[in-house]
Amino acid sequence: MSASAAASMPQPAATKAQPISNVQGWRRHYLLLVLLFVYAMSMIDRQIMGVLIEPIKKEMGVSDSAMGLLTGLAFALFYSILAVPFGRFADRTNRRNLIAWCCGAWSITTGLCGMAVGFWSLTAARVGVAVGEAGSTAASTTMIADVYPPEQRSRAMSVFSLGPHLGSLVGLGVGAWIAQNYGWRTAFLALAVPGVLAAVMLRLTCREPVRGAQDARPVVQAGVEKFSEVMLSLRSNKAFVGLGLAGMLMAFSGYAIGMWNTAFLVRSHGLQLKDAGAIMGFIGGPAAIVGALLSGWLTDVMAKRDARWQIGMPVLGILLSIPLGLLFYINDSPAQWQVAGLQIPHSVAYYGAFAVFSSFWAAPVFAALTNVIVSTRLATALSVYNLLLTAVGGGLGPLAVGLLSDAFIARAGNESLRWALICMLGFYLLGALIYALSLKPYVSQLKAKKSMA
């Protein structure tokens, strides 16, 4: 390139050799916990549909396919439309304020779900929840990356990734109890309130972190790059592409399993809704929390010895989870334990172990993405990543199970849902394969970023 051509190119804004973090000590841990609270509320408002499928379906007289559309595609479509614009906006604006406003918005629309007068008004309210949630996760992840150094990020991300598991625990466990005793509409109204509280806490008690404060390299002022330039850089980043495709497959299966497991226990094991919800929430939730924290700690320890463990740990967890999931779904023994008034099928022991290992992938992969993408592109990159997880995973996963269940009725009868869920485990294996193929480009991209420091 000629000197004159180079001179004509737009130059980045002023840089700093090493920005000073304004969120240190206890403040960074407090910010992490508040962002976890916000994330958990988003997942509670999303996961609660998992325990309300049966009562909503009964009241409104719709099919499994219609409920798959409501719980998956309708939500994911609008989330996907806004996720990337929100992510790009987060790279240019105050992320704390953006997340707080979004959290308040989706909490209010969750309450409106309880006021729905029919299937389509309920669908419209769920779209409102999706619009609010589209602006949260990517921006939250970038804030965490700006207050924790790379060698601590897997652990920090493992804490943040407890959000879906806490959401399952409360949304499935508490939500099922409220629905059983007071109706599904009251469940929506009651679980909308904590989200408003989370929004207020974030807005009034937390600081916006300095961008790139934990990167050992000069930082370009946010927003100087064109959106097309950022997207082209992501497309050429083989590590990002591989991790995105694998995450999409994991979310496709994970969302489907999480959304339909409660209905599976009701139909195939004859449990009451409150028992099935309590099992999924109070057994599956804590088991997944153990897996998330364990994977974050193990990944940070092992990645110091060999960077490949950043992706290797998710692969290991997935491969261990697949046979455990098969044992859970195939086991049709009527034997049950009676614990604290709950009917717990013996097969749930397999599900507990499955929940531990199937949660190994999320936190290390989020941390891996923050390790190979510069801070001024990170919110955009993570919004694209979350779009893949939500549009394909959250949108099509539950719908696919509903369609498969309806298709299997002719041969499997009441057990059609069991076989639909077994099919989802095949996508776990494909996800593990793509993660393994992403190891080499991840290490190469990590070395390239370090060489630029």
Side-chain angles (χ1 to χ4, degrees):
M1 179 182 295
S2 67
S4 60
S8 66
M9 294 180 64
Q11 298 299 312
T15 62
K16 296 181 180 180
Q18 180 63 41
I20 299 175
S21 176
N22 63 333
V23 182
Q24 304 181 37
W26 67 270
R27 287 186 179 277
R28 65 175 182 166
H29 303 315
Y30 176 75
L31 174 62
L32 175 61
L33 291 177
V34 174
L35 291 174
L36 167 61
F37 184 20
V38 171
Y39 192 22
M41 291 314 307
S42 74
M43 299 309 296
I44 288 171
D45 294 342
R46 195 180 306 184
Q47 292 285 347
I48 190 175
M49 286 298 300
V51 296
L52 302 182
I53 286 176
E54 293 297 293
I56 291 174
K57 178 184 175 182
K58 182 178 180 180
E59 178 177 324
M60 298 188 174
V62 295
S63 67
D64 278 350
S65 297
M67 291 307 299
L69 175 67
L70 174 64
T71 58
L73 189 58
F75 181 97
L77 178 63
F78 285 87
Y79 183 103
S80 303
I81 290 172
L82 291 173
V84 176
F86 267 131
R88 190 60 184 151
F89 186 59
D91 275 333
R92 298 167 178 259
T93 192
N94 187 298
R95 295 162 291 180
R96 178 201 63 185
N97 295 349
L98 172 64
I99 298 167
W101 282 109
C102 287
C103 182
W106 83 59
S107 299
I108 291 171
T109 50
T110 295
L112 293 177
C113 290
M115 303 178 186
V117 296
F119 180 80
W120 292 111
S121 61
L122 177 58
T123 302
R126 291 299 293 171
V127 167
V129 176
V131 171
E133 292 189 10
S136 174
T137 306
S140 296
T141 306
T142 67
M143 292 176 74
I144 295 170
D146 283 338
V147 297
Y148 286 94
E151 62 271 16
Q152 297 178 16
R153 279 184 195 161
S154 290
R155 278 171 285 183
M157 292 300 176
S158 72
V159 173
F160 180 65
S161 70
L162 297 183
H165 311 309
L166 292 173
S168 295
L169 192 155
V170 177
L172 298 178
V174 176
W177 183 86
I178 296 174
Q180 182 80 27
N181 290 280
Y182 300 101
W184 64 267
R185 297 178 183 277
T186 302
F188 275 124
L189 292 169
L191 293 178
V193 176
V196 176
L197 176 61
V200 173
M201 286 180 63
L202 178 62
R203 178 62 182 83
L204 298 182
T205 67
C206 295
R207 295 177 178 176
E208 167 74 3
V210 174
R211 296 180 192 272
Q214 301 297 334
D215 287 340
R217 58 174 296 181
V219 178
V220 180
Q221 181 180 337
V224 300
E225 293 179 298
K226 294 181 180 179
F227 177 72
S228 58
E229 294 173 342
V230 176
M231 295 304 294
L232 285 173
S233 72
L234 294 178
R235 189 179 68 178
S236 63
N237 188 324
K238 293 182 179 180
F240 175 80
V241 172
L243 296 178
L245 289 175
M248 179 181 70
L249 292 169
M250 293 303 300
F252 181 81
S253 295
Y255 274 115
I257 288 171
M259 192 62 68
W260 285 97
N261 264 347
T262 302
F264 164 68
L265 289 178
V266 171
R267 295 185 197 181
S268 294
H269 289 274
L271 301 187
Q272 296 184 43
L273 179 62
K274 65 178 181 65
D275 290 346
I279 288 170
M280 289 296 105
F282 298 130
I283 295 179
I289 288 172
V290 170
L293 293 175
L294 182 60
S295 69
W297 177 75
L298 284 174
T299 301
D300 275 347
V301 170
M302 299 303 293
K304 288 180 181 179
R305 304 177 184 179
D306 188 334
R308 290 176 295 180
W309 275 108
Q310 190 73 44
I311 310 300
M313 195 60 65
V315 173
L316 176 62
I318 295 168
L319 294 179
L320 290 173
S321 72
I322 292 172
L324 293 166
L326 282 172
L327 289 170
F328 170 58
Y329 289 122
I330 291 175
N331 191 316
D332 58 359
S333 171
Q336 296 179 341
W337 292 299
Q338 299 290 327
V339 180
L342 296 178
Q343 295 177 304
I344 304 177
H346 288 181
S347 62
V348 169
Y350 297 121
Y351 176 73
F354 168 81
V356 170
F357 293 111
S358 65
S359 62
F360 261 43
W361 66 276
V365 173
F366 265 113
L369 291 170
T370 68
N371 290 340
V372 297
I373 299 173
V374 297
S375 61
T376 54
R377 300 172 180 172
L378 189 54
T380 305
L382 291 175
S383 67
V384 173
Y385 177 74
N386 285 322
L387 185 152
L388 293 174
L389 267 61
T390 305
V392 178
L396 299 182
L399 177 60
V401 169
L403 293 172
L404 285 171
S405 179
D406 285 342
F408 290 160
I409 285 178
R411 291 189 176 184
N414 194 55
E415 296 300 321
S416 63
L417 183 56
R418 181 195 301 272
W419 293 104
L421 289 168
I422 288 174
C423 290
M424 291 297 104
L425 295 175
F427 292 95
Y428 271 40
L429 184 60
L430 185 56
L433 174 61
I434 297 178
Y435 275 136
L437 294 174
S438 301
L439 276 170
K440 185 176 179 179
Y442 169 75
V443 174
S444 298
Q445 190 69 24
L446 188 63
K447 291 178 179 178
K449 185 180 178 183
K450 289 181 177 179
S451 69
M452 297 173 64

